[in-house]
Amino acid sequence: SDIDYKEWYENHRPSEQELERERKQVFEYSPKISILVPVYNTPEVFLKQMIQSVRKQTYTNWELCIANANPSNQEVSSILNVAGKKDNRIKVVDVPENEGIAQNTNRALESATGEFVGLLDHDDLLEENALYEIVSCLNKDRKTDVLYTDEDKVTTDLDEYFSPNFKPDFNLDMLRANNYICHFFVAKRTLVEQIGGFLAAFDGAQDHDFIFRCVEQAKHIHHIPEILYHWRTHQSSTADNPDSKLYAFEAGKRAVEANLKRCGLKGKVSHTKDYG
């Protein structure tokens, strides 16, 4: 409590010189990373900032796979159309029927061609060195099939970073109590396809269920202890207002129950007074 996080964060971000060094780095192993983003009526400024945070990555072998669940929204469609023309690494799939967040993410996954896939929400941001750190880790251990990073929250206007989540290395017991992994989560695409992608039955907590099924099958799970993902908070976000999405916490409860069942364990799952 005696440490100002804003000051800590600024002191721990890579300098411009460090970012420039990363841009020039040539890795022995340079896998393509497909970033999956389901989009639905995203506010214009949030969408542009999310896309820009990917385009500014110091590691360049990526593709941004966006599933647009409301193509009739002219503002969103126009932004995505311009972005795709500006950068051919940005791929947009229209989902006119809006199948729900899990199925919309599956539509993005279907267009992915990378060796790894990462999950990014439509109004959040990646730190510029996020993918660089992922690939750096993969070069140290080629057997790694699941990775996750630390994260924090950022105000709607991007004025203040706060609530850092300094995560432990992989801890299944903690994952059953709380989706501490959340973002930024990256997994081998073959593993993701093996487990069947995202399940609509867990909409609202589809990431928690997805992470469970990935780590159940993963051989090597790696935690990168750096803040590389910024979760934007606003009134309709569960990051800021848990009561806005009570259904999400019910889905999370069912995700834990499903994990216990698959692992052959008997247990009772119940909410605490603090949702999630």
Side-chain angles (χ1 to χ4, degrees):
S1 60
D2 58 341
I3 295 173
D4 180 86
Y5 174 65
K6 187 175 182 181
E7 183 182 341
W8 182 94
Y9 172 64
E10 291 301 332
N11 287 337
H12 285 77
R13 291 181 97 172
S15 65
E16 190 50 52
Q17 291 89 338
E18 175 64 19
L19 293 174
E20 193 54 42
R21 184 193 67 75
E22 291 177 7
R23 291 184 190 104
K24 294 174 181 174
Q25 172 87 32
V26 178
F27 287 107
E28 185 181 335
Y29 176 49
S30 300
K32 182 191 286 185
I33 300 177
S34 303
I35 300 169
L36 312 182
V37 183
V39 162
Y40 182 72
N41 293 339
T42 312
E44 186 176 331
V45 66
F46 295 177
L47 185 59
K48 287 180 176 178
Q49 288 169 346
M50 178 276 291
I51 292 171
Q52 193 60 16
S53 81
V54 177
R55 293 194 68 215
K56 288 173 73 175
Q57 291 298 304
T58 57
Y59 178 77
T60 58
N61 192 15
W62 54 262
E63 63 180 4
L64 180 57
C65 303
I66 298 174
N68 181 13
N70 186 11
S72 63
N73 183 320
Q74 294 300 316
E75 290 79 12
V76 168
S77 292
S78 174
I79 290 168
L80 296 179
N81 186 41
V82 170
K85 286 179 178 174
K86 194 180 290 185
D87 194 325
N88 61 13
R89 294 172 296 180
I90 298 173
K91 301 159 78 170
V92 181
V93 179
D94 285 341
V95 189
E97 57 277 15
N98 185 17
E99 302 170 348
I101 190 165
Q103 286 300 90
N104 293 343
T105 309
N106 281 334
R107 298 289 85 79
L109 174 61
E110 286 168 8
S111 70
T113 60
E115 291 167 67
F116 286 82
V117 297
L119 309 183
L120 174 61
D121 282 355
H122 65 160
D123 51 1
D124 292 343
L125 306 163
L126 290 178
E127 191 68 18
E128 284 182 65
N129 60 323
L131 298 185
Y132 174 91
E133 295 297 342
I134 295 289
V135 175
S136 181
C137 176
L138 290 171
N139 272 268
K140 290 170 187 163
D141 183 0
R142 297 282 185 92
K143 294 178 181 175
T144 302
D145 41 15
V146 164
L147 310 93
Y148 64 94
T149 75
D150 293 348
E151 65 188 289
D152 64 11
K153 295 185 176 71
V154 64
T155 51
T156 304
D157 58 7
L158 307 186
D159 190 48
E160 183 187 355
Y161 296 91
F162 63 101
S163 275
N165 187 356
F166 297 114
K167 305 168 188 177
D169 287 347
F170 182 62
N171 183 329
L172 180 56
D173 194 46
M174 180 175 278
L175 186 61
R176 286 174 176 148
N178 167 269
N179 183 11
Y180 80 91
I181 290 179
C182 208
H183 300 298
F184 182 44
F185 184 79
V186 175
K188 256 188 183 162
R189 186 164 61 97
T190 51
L191 173 66
V192 171
E193 289 169 347
Q194 175 192 331
I195 66 165
F198 296 81
L199 301 182
F202 296 94
D203 264 353
Q206 69 288 332
D207 289 358
H208 201 175
D209 166 70
F210 176 77
I211 289 169
F212 270 131
R213 289 181 293 113
C214 282
V215 300
E216 286 163 18
Q217 301 299 323
K219 304 267 190 311
H220 294 264
I221 301 167
H222 193 87
H223 163 227
I224 298 172
E226 290 192 46
I227 303 277
L228 299 174
Y229 188 100
H230 308 295
W231 188 356
R232 193 193 301 260
T233 65
H234 44 91
Q235 203 53 37
S236 63
S237 164
T238 42
D240 193 46
N241 178 17
D243 288 324
S244 68
K245 293 183 181 175
L246 286 174
Y247 76 94
F249 299 107
E250 281 301 320
K253 177 175 177 285
R254 288 187 281 105
V256 179
E257 290 169 340
N259 165 258
L260 292 175
K261 186 176 181 181
R262 285 190 300 270
C263 293
L265 296 170
K266 290 184 179 179
K268 180 182 177 185
V269 185
S270 53
H271 294 294
T272 63
K273 63 182 175 63
D274 299 312
Y275 292 119

